[in-house]
Amino acid sequence: MPRQSRQPRRRSYDQYCAAARALDVVGDRWTLLIVRELLAGPRRYTDLHADLPGVSTDMLAGRLRDMEGAELVTRRRLPPPVSAYVYELTPRGRELLPVLRALAEWGAPDLDEPRPTDAVRAHWFAIPLLGALEGVVTGVVQVNLDEGVFHLRIGADGVSYADGPAEAPDAHLWTDTATCRALASGESTLAEAVAAGRARLDESVPAG
């Protein structure tokens, strides 16, 4: 069934091509990185801004408006006593996870060592690690890095990730960003990292 037509964007490639249509929606600077953040769960505007270093407030607000117009993002008010709005992905927006996984796989060999100007957030390693852990572990895996904690959900029905600790993880993975980079680029498997002492996977230790 054809998708319902959406509000026209301010710019278009005006090409009758599926790739061009997709880039009309997500090709602007920052858009896919906003999706990356929201794939980890609903976020307040201030949290999004904090985890997108380098984006101006005007740019972020404009991109979020565009994404709402494209039906990638919705905004809702949290119930009392919290008085705040959060942004979250629509089902259409969540369909971009495979796109980001492909981009992360393609870009992983270019990471090398972090540059002095590079910001780092723990959950930015979630997407690359999905590929390294899928088929190796199942269930909810809490990943513990010096930079922070996030968790992955890997199962027969698909994969996802979220920022912060898991409520009841099935496994814990302790490692570092250098090992995450090696796993993402294919330089190392999880088994090799564990054997070398660069990672530890425990499927029985409770959270905490």
Side-chain angles (χ1 to χ4, degrees), residues 29-112:
R29 182 172 170 82
W30 296 105
T31 298
L32 284 175
L33 295 184
I34 294 171
V35 172
R36 177 197 66 192
E37 295 303 309
L38 294 179
L39 280 167
R43 307 290 293 277
R44 295 180 301 176
Y45 179 90
T46 52
D47 296 328
L48 276 174
H49 190 258
D51 278 340
L52 290 167
V55 69
S56 69
T57 55
D58 288 346
M59 176 68 75
L60 179 56
R63 288 293 178 264
L64 288 168
R65 282 195 302 270
D66 289 346
M67 293 170 74
E68 285 188 87
E71 299 179 10
L72 299 179
V73 165
T74 60
R75 188 175 74 123
R76 64 178 172 88
R77 187 167 193 147
L78 295 175
V82 180
S83 179
Y85 286 92
V86 293
Y87 291 89
E88 58 189 344
L89 293 175
T90 63
R92 175 74 164 153
R94 288 192 292 273
E95 289 175 358
L96 287 165
L97 175 57
V99 176
L100 283 166
R101 291 185 67 181
L103 283 172
E105 182 178 356
W106 186 81
D110 294 328
L111 280 179
D112 298 321

Side-chain angles (χ1 to χ4, degrees), residues 9-21:
R9 287 173 52 79
R10 293 170 296 173
R11 295 180 299 278
S12 172
Y13 287 104
D14 292 324
Q15 297 179 11
Y16 191 67
C17 162
R21 286 287 193 270

